[in-house]
Amino acid sequence: MNRPLDSKARVLFIHTATRPPLGADTWIHALIIRHLDRATHEVHVACATGPAGDPTPTFKAMRDIPELEIKPVNLGSELFAKSLLERGEAVIKTAPALWSLFELARYIRKHRIQLLHTSDRPRDALVTVLLARLTGAKSIVHVHVTYGHWMSPMLRWAMARTNALIGVSNFVAGSLINGGGYASNKTRGVLNAIDLAAWDFATDPGPVRADLGIASDAPVLICVARVFKTKGQGLLIEALGLLKNELPNIKLLIVGQDYPPGNNYTDELKALAERLGVSHNVIFTGLRNDVPRLMAAADIMAMPSFEEPFGLVYAEAMAMKKPVIAFDNGGTPEVVEHEKSGLLSPQDDVPALAANIKRLVMDAKLRAEMGEYGRRQVEKRFVPQRLAEDVAGVYRELLGRD
């Protein structure tokens, strides 16, 4: 028998990150927070707010959400990728962090918080599990990446002790169960979503093409991603090398910056393009804050990445009515339907990748059909309301309300 919903589920999201940029994990949580039904949920967020004149990216994303209680928290600097000296300084500052943790536990008890929801950032996951133990609340770690032993011991420890794991795709959830050995009865796949209001498919492509010196009739591929090997930018350049005689005026926009900073992969890609004789076909835009405009200027979204956990950029391209070219692995097939919203090929098969590019470039009707289908799928499957309701279902399970 279902327990009557005589009170709201009280949930606290925990985000202690202080450094930019805003991560996709926080952005997804902001969508969930905004769209959780306030008739059945009381929503709080604990985040580092930063000084008044220099708010943290997380606080900026959260502060304007209606009916949200924000609890400032300061757990100090993050230790990831810091020098030994910086780590030492962070340890010296542990006392204020412990006091902030104590204050947060008191806040949870005062507001009778039942659910603690965080991302797979190691410190946040650890803090969430510890606070759950201290207060009796249920903990949830939302995992945005495929399981791997590259995950920190802190994160793996927390995931083993949390009450629930949410993967951003069934593929990610499966990797947690099959690769990480986490219990299947506490692991769920909940597909990501995007804010459709940010993606206007009617945006004029002309200004961006003019700015970049691209002819109005030139076919344009776009790849929006951090620039490193597993995102597949190099494979796209290799595919252009195979197509340079058949599609001499094709352009590839590589949008993003090297990851991690300083890895110089962009320089490697430029050298590869030069070696293959396609330098004039490839435009490196660097990091941009006008991705919807760039998408509007393109004909095809192409990102042949290795085992993409979900692929938010695929859903964004589909919202812009752009067909997608990718590999048939990871969480990609849960977003992109082969022959319907795009074309998928086997991992690392560059000739097949080139064939898919040529097919879509040469068939404007197919591009339009796939674009229309993709937009309909985003409107149906990848909206924040559906995401929030799926997450609310996990909450109901944990609270015994299903």
Side-chain angles (χ1 to χ4, degrees), residues 61-386:
M62 303 290 181
R63 63 187 174 185
D64 295 326
I65 298 177
E67 299 182 76
L68 175 64
E69 296 291 330
I70 297 180
K71 166 63 176 172
V73 63
N74 179 13
L75 296 184
S77 300
E78 297 166 273
L79 297 181
F80 176 72
K82 285 186 173 292
S83 69
L84 185 60
L85 177 61
E86 290 172 313
R87 286 173 180 267
E89 291 173 347
V91 170
I92 292 170
K93 298 175 182 176
T94 14
L98 288 174
W99 176 251
S100 188
L101 193 63
F102 170 77
E103 284 289 305
L104 190 50
R106 190 162 66 175
Y107 181 90
I108 291 167
R109 292 193 186 98
K110 176 183 176 181
H111 292 275
R112 297 179 295 129
I113 302 293
Q114 302 157 293
L115 300 156
L116 306 178
H117 189 158
T118 194
S119 73
D120 51 14
R121 292 175 183 259
R123 184 175 68 180
D124 286 353
L126 175 67
V127 164
T128 297
V129 169
L130 292 178
L131 285 170
R133 296 290 181 90
L134 288 170
T135 63
K138 303 288 187 182
S139 62
I140 302 151
V141 176
H142 204 142
V143 184
H144 294 254
V145 293
T146 309
Y147 176 82
H149 290 292
W150 55 267
M151 289 178 165
S152 74
M154 182 188 297
L155 175 58
R156 297 202 301 270
W157 184 92
M159 291 195 300
R161 288 158 181 82
T162 190
N163 296 107
L165 290 166
I166 295 177
V168 295
S169 63
N170 291 321
F171 168 73
V172 169
S175 79
L176 295 171
I177 296 166
N178 301 319
Y182 299 106
S184 60
N185 62 355
K186 77 171 189 180
T187 307
R188 299 287 180 271
V190 174
L191 293 175
N192 274 341
I194 63 170
D195 180 6
L196 272 177
W199 303 93
D200 180 8
F201 58 80
T203 300
D204 182 5
V208 168
R209 285 192 172 228
D211 289 345
L212 296 176
I214 300 173
S216 59
D217 60 345
V220 177
L221 309 177
I222 186 169
C223 180
V224 182
R226 293 178 295 181
V227 181
F228 65 109
K229 187 173 182 180
T230 59
K231 290 297 182 180
Q233 294 96 341
L235 299 177
L236 287 174
I237 292 174
E238 290 181 28
L240 291 192
L242 298 178
L243 296 169
K244 62 184 179 183
N245 294 326
E246 298 173 273
L247 303 173
N249 65 335
I250 192 171
K251 298 294 182 182
L252 167 62
L253 303 184
I254 294 181
V255 183
Q257 64 184 358
D258 287 332
Y259 179 82
N263 79 344
N264 299 321
Y265 190 53
T266 295
D267 291 340
E268 292 183 35
L269 294 175
K270 289 178 179 179
L272 175 63
E274 179 72 28
R275 191 162 63 250
L276 296 177
V278 293
S279 292
H280 63 289
N281 300 104
V282 185
I283 299 173
F284 295 87
T285 72
L287 189 64
R288 298 278 295 238
N289 60 7
D290 60 345
V291 171
R293 292 178 67 245
L294 293 169
M295 286 268 198
D299 299 293
I300 300 163
M301 166 64 200
M303 188 178 75
S305 61
F306 175 73
E307 293 193 347
E308 192 70 21
F310 175 84
L312 277 172
V313 71
Y314 299 143
E316 292 164 352
M318 289 159 59
M320 294 296 288
K321 295 190 176 181
K322 306 301 177 183
V324 175
I325 287 177
F327 285 146
D328 188 8
N329 63 22
T332 300
E334 298 178 54
V335 184
V336 183
E337 295 177 70
H338 182 56
E339 295 286 355
K340 291 185 176 181
S341 53
L343 297 176
L344 305 179
S345 56
Q347 174 70 39
D348 293 336
D349 190 336
V350 175
L353 181 65
N356 284 343
I357 292 171
K358 179 182 175 181
R359 181 181 171 194
L360 283 181
V361 166
M362 303 298 290
D363 195 336
K365 181 173 180 290
L366 180 60
R367 292 200 306 272
E369 289 173 352
M370 287 185 169
E372 292 289 343
Y373 181 85
R375 174 72 188 195
R376 291 196 302 272
Q377 287 302 298
V378 173
E379 292 172 350
K380 177 181 178 181
R381 301 176 57 217
F382 303 121
V383 290
Q385 294 84 354
R386 189 275 310 155

